[in-house]
Amino acid sequence: MRYFIGNWKMFGVPKSINILRKINSFCSKDKNRKKYRVIITPPYTLIETYSKYFQNKRIAIGSQNCYQKDQFSSNTAAVSPFMIKNVGAKFTLVGHSDNRAEGDTDKMLKDKVSYALKNNLKVVFCIGENKLEKKRKKTFAVLKNQLKKVLDKKFNQNNIIVAYEPIWSIGTGKIPSSVELKKTIIHIKKQLKKIFRKKKTLPVLYGGSVDGNNVKMFKEIREIDGFLIGGASKSSKKFIDIIKNYYR
Ligand code: 13P
């Protein structure tokens, strides 16, 4: 199974649903549709209406983040996994570099994953090194640490997907070389096997400047189980092109 996840970040109003309707109509007719899942994470404000609309359709709706508490509490502007689940989200991202940069710590991320799973949300856990860490050849150590500090053997690994997003690649048009990326994905899968002490590994996605052209290079790396797509997910044509070119 492959995953094409579109992360809208701070984008979208109710009528932006038209973008998703086009993606959905492509996916319902696509001959390869059984081979992949499409998930879109709009902002909190759109989760409920979009989830209702796409119930029993080809697009699943997720959240971009969640607060590190279970149900209700006195944290102004916070939205819990329980609340997200109750308006129809099936997934949540946790640990996106945007949110790490704004103060999400490993301890907070661990609580987020734990409460999200408790509320039956599937978690897309994001990791990735920055430019300086890459330059200093610290990538493998950074990724290992990010995984180890948050993921726990007690978590149900069937409900977790890992997304590798090198920070220097997000929104820049820069992507890792295919040799480098293959090694990194294999490294991540090895770490996941160690953490969960299971033979079967979790799906590992790549994210960072994915588009309809470079996806042809990524598809050669069989270890990549799908993509987390930012910019290109805000256009139905660009998003559909990624899927089309992946299976071409
Ligand atoms: P871009 O695809 O715009 O580089 O964004 C990647 C990302 O951060 C998705 O979460």
Side-chain angles (χ1 to χ4, degrees):
M1 180 55 64
R2 297 292 190 236
Y3 295 88
F4 295 90
I5 306 184
N7 175 15
W8 273 11
K9 307 185 185 181
M10 198 175 86
F11 168 83
V13 289
K15 73 169 189 219
S16 317
I17 199 166
N18 292 328
I19 299 167
L20 300 188
R21 289 172 58 184
K22 287 183 193 147
I23 296 173
N24 183 70
S25 88
F26 165 79
C27 296
S28 7
K29 290 177 245 137
D30 185 12
K31 65 175 188 308
N32 294 305
R33 65 184 180 276
K34 297 253 161 61
K35 300 181 187 160
Y36 62 87
R37 286 195 77 175
V38 172
I39 301 156
I40 302 289
T41 63
Y44 288 132
T45 46
L46 301 173
I47 291 176
E48 180 167 18
T49 41
Y50 286 16
S51 297
K52 276 201 183 118
Y53 184 86
F54 290 105
Q55 214 176 9
N56 308 318
K57 293 198 169 68
R58 293 287 312 166
I59 295 177
I61 299 298
S63 170
Q64 298 172 15
N65 198 357
C66 62
Y67 197 69
Q68 57 274 13
K69 285 186 184 172
D70 188 359
Q71 297 205 341
F72 300 138
S73 71
S74 58
N75 299 89
T76 302
V79 183
S80 70
F82 176 80
M83 291 153 76
I84 294 162
K85 178 72 187 181
N86 264 272
V87 289
K90 302 277 190 288
F91 291 80
T92 184
L93 306 183
V94 170
H96 192 282
S97 58
D98 289 343
N99 306 120
R100 290 179 190 259
E102 285 171 356
D104 277 12
T105 62
D106 291 327
K107 164 82 178 74
M108 284 155 69
L109 297 179
K110 190 168 193 143
D111 288 340
K112 285 174 195 244
V113 175
S114 168
Y115 289 125
L117 293 172
K118 186 175 171 217
N119 284 283
N120 293 316
L121 288 164
K122 289 190 196 293
V123 169
V124 181
F125 179 56
C126 307
I127 57 172
E129 84 285 2
N130 65 30
K131 202 170 150 189
L132 188 64
E133 290 160 343
K134 177 177 161 58
K135 199 171 151 223
R136 295 190 171 153
K137 306 211 179 320
K138 295 266 190 293
T139 300
F140 278 24
V142 168
L143 300 177
K144 180 179 176 181
N145 206 39
Q146 288 175 335
L147 292 168
K148 228 173 59 182
K149 288 266 167 68
V150 174
L151 298 183
D152 195 309
K153 191 177 167 294
K154 289 192 300 245
F155 294 159
N156 182 354
Q157 68 159 344
N158 296 326
N159 292 333
I160 304 173
I161 294 169
V162 170
Y164 168 57
E165 296 204 299
I167 298 168
W168 51 269
S169 169
I170 297 175
T172 60
K174 296 197 176 91
I175 52 166
S177 75
S178 97
V179 176
E180 194 175 47
L181 183 56
K182 187 180 169 95
K183 281 189 193 155
T184 309
I185 302 284
I186 291 172
H187 169 75
I188 293 168
K189 291 198 168 176
K190 206 170 114 194
Q191 298 311 316
L192 290 168
K193 280 185 191 167
K194 270 195 203 162
I195 293 168
F196 290 99
R197 297 192 208 129
K198 291 248 169 67
K199 272 224 183 82
K200 192 178 145 245
T201 182
L202 291 59
V204 178
L205 318 183
Y206 169 76
S209 296
V210 176
D211 64 30
N213 286 319
N214 60 28
V215 75
K216 293 173 211 150
M217 181 277 265
F218 294 128
K219 83 178 217 194
E220 304 300 329
I221 308 174
R222 295 194 48 87
E223 289 82 2
I224 299 178
D225 298 296
F227 304 95
L228 184 51
I229 301 151
S233 69
K234 294 181 277 186
S235 142
S236 54
K237 180 178 182 317
K238 287 183 183 168
F239 194 81
I240 292 167
D241 275 350
I242 293 174
I243 301 177
K244 276 188 187 161
N245 289 343
Y246 186 83
Y247 289 103
R248 182 156 286 161

